[in-house]
Amino acid sequence: MTGKTKSGGRDVAADAEKLRRLHVPGDPLLLANVWDPTSAEVVESAGMRAIATTSAALAAMNGYEDNGQVSPDVAFSALRRIADAVALPVTADLEDGYGLSPEEFVDRLANAGACGANLEDTDHHRAGALVDADRHAVRIAAIKAAARARGFDPLINARVDVHLYKGPIDEGLRRARKYFDAGADCVYPILLSDVSAIREYVALGPTNILYGPGSIALAELAKLGVARISVGPLLFRLLLKRLEVATDALRRFDDKGFGPDWQSGLWN
C-alpha cells in the first residue's frame, strides 16, 4: 500500500484491520460511545475492544447542538484528542461527513488517528429528508477509494436513517444493499427494533444496532446475528442525569442524596 497511514504514532491501517476483525455476526462488538479523552480512557480501562464516539455528546460537550451544527475543525480536533488518549482502534461518528470532499474527509480522519467512521444518509434533519440512496452510495465508494489511495481501508459504518423517520423497512433494506455494494463494511439501521427486520439486515451483511432502554436485550441481539452494538449518547445522558441528582442533593443539604458511590473513594 502507498500513502501515509501513521498519524501521531498510530497506524490507522493496522487499526482498521483490527476493527474490521471485531465485527463478527453473533459475537458483536460492543461499543460504549465516548465524547472526550476522559470517557475514552474509562471505556478502555473497562476492557472494551474498541473506542467509538457519539456526535450528539461530542457536540454538547463543545457547546453545540447535534445534527450538522459542529464544524469539521471542532469535530476532528476533538477526535484527535480522543485518539491520542487511548491505544484501542477508534471509530468516529462524523454525521454526514460535514460536506467534505472524499479526499479531505479521509485526510482528516487519518490525521485525527481514527480508522473508521459512521456516515449517515440524512440530508436535512429538521425536514426528515434523506439523501438520494444512489448519491450516498457513490460518496461511500469515493471515500473508500480515496482512503485506499492513501494507504488504508477505513471501516465505514453506513447509517440507514429510514427508521429514524419511521419509513418502510423495504426502503431501508434497499439502501443497505446499495451501501454494501458501494463498499460499506457495516450498515446501521438506527432506531430499528423489529426482530424480523433485523434478521433481514443481518442477512445482507454486518449490521450495527443501537441499544438503549426498552430495546431488545443484548444477548438476544447477539443471537440474531448482529455484528456490532452501540449505545449512542446513552452513557453521556446517564452521566448528566447523575449530575442532576447529585446537584439537587447538594442544593438540599442532603448528604445521602448523592448516590451509593458518594463514600466509596471518589476522591482517590
Side-chain angles (χ1 to χ4, degrees):
M1 293 193 297
T2 61
K4 180 181 176 183
T5 65
K6 291 189 177 182
S7 176
R10 298 191 70 108
D11 187 335
V12 292
D15 281 351
E17 294 312 309
K18 290 177 185 176
L19 183 64
R20 189 169 284 106
R21 289 194 296 270
L22 294 174
H23 287 65
V24 180
D27 181 20
L29 172 63
L30 297 174
L31 294 171
N33 300 78
V34 307
W35 52 89
D36 65 3
T38 301
S39 57
E41 289 171 344
V42 169
V43 166
E44 183 172 60
S45 296
M48 303 301 275
R49 297 185 290 169
I51 299 296
T53 67
T54 161
S55 68
L58 189 147
M61 286 293 294
N62 286 278
Y64 297 90
E65 293 184 4
D66 194 19
N67 301 328
Q69 302 305 303
V70 177
S71 71
D73 287 344
V74 170
F76 285 101
S77 176
L79 179 58
R80 172 78 267 175
R81 293 193 298 274
I82 290 169
D84 284 346
V86 294
L88 291 173
V90 176
T91 182
D93 178 0
L94 295 171
E95 304 193 57
D96 64 355
Y98 308 112
L100 300 174
S101 71
E103 292 76 15
E104 186 175 4
F105 179 83
V106 166
D107 283 346
R108 287 195 176 219
L109 184 71
N111 289 338
C115 65
N118 286 6
L119 285 175
E120 63 191 42
D121 61 359
T122 289
D123 187 39
H124 194 293
H125 278 278
R126 291 183 180 177
L130 298 174
V131 176
D132 177 79
D134 288 321
R135 181 157 61 94
H136 195 60
V138 167
R139 179 165 172 74
I140 290 170
I143 286 172
K144 294 287 275 192
R148 288 174 181 137
R150 180 177 174 131
F152 82 114
D153 187 9
L155 190 140
I156 298 300
N157 187 34
R159 205 177 90 173
V160 179
D161 284 2
V162 169
H163 313 292
L164 181 63
Y165 306 116
K166 304 187 186 306
I169 290 171
D170 286 348
E171 172 61 14
L173 292 168
R174 182 183 76 87
R175 286 173 173 267
R177 291 187 191 96
K178 287 182 179 292
Y179 303 161
F180 275 129
D181 288 345
D185 301 274
C186 186
V187 295
Y188 180 16
I190 191 168
L191 295 190
L192 180 64
S193 58
D194 181 276
V195 169
S196 61
I198 290 174
R199 287 196 180 101
E200 291 189 75
Y201 273 99
V202 165
L204 298 179
T207 299
N208 181 170
I209 294 296
L210 181 68
Y211 175 78
S215 64
I216 301 170
L218 293 168
E220 180 63 22
L221 288 173
K223 290 179 182 177
L224 289 172
V226 168
R228 170 170 167 160
I229 300 172
S230 54
V231 297
L234 173 63
L235 299 180
F236 178 68
R237 289 171 181 165
L238 287 173
L239 185 64
L240 290 182
K241 186 64 178 177
R242 186 64 179 274
L243 175 62
E244 179 184 331
V245 170
T247 302
D248 184 63
L250 181 64
R251 179 185 62 81
R252 294 183 289 104
F253 287 76
D254 181 2
D255 299 288
K256 296 182 179 179
F258 289 91
D261 298 327
W262 179 243
Q263 302 293 341
S264 61
L266 287 177
W267 306 112
N268 293 340

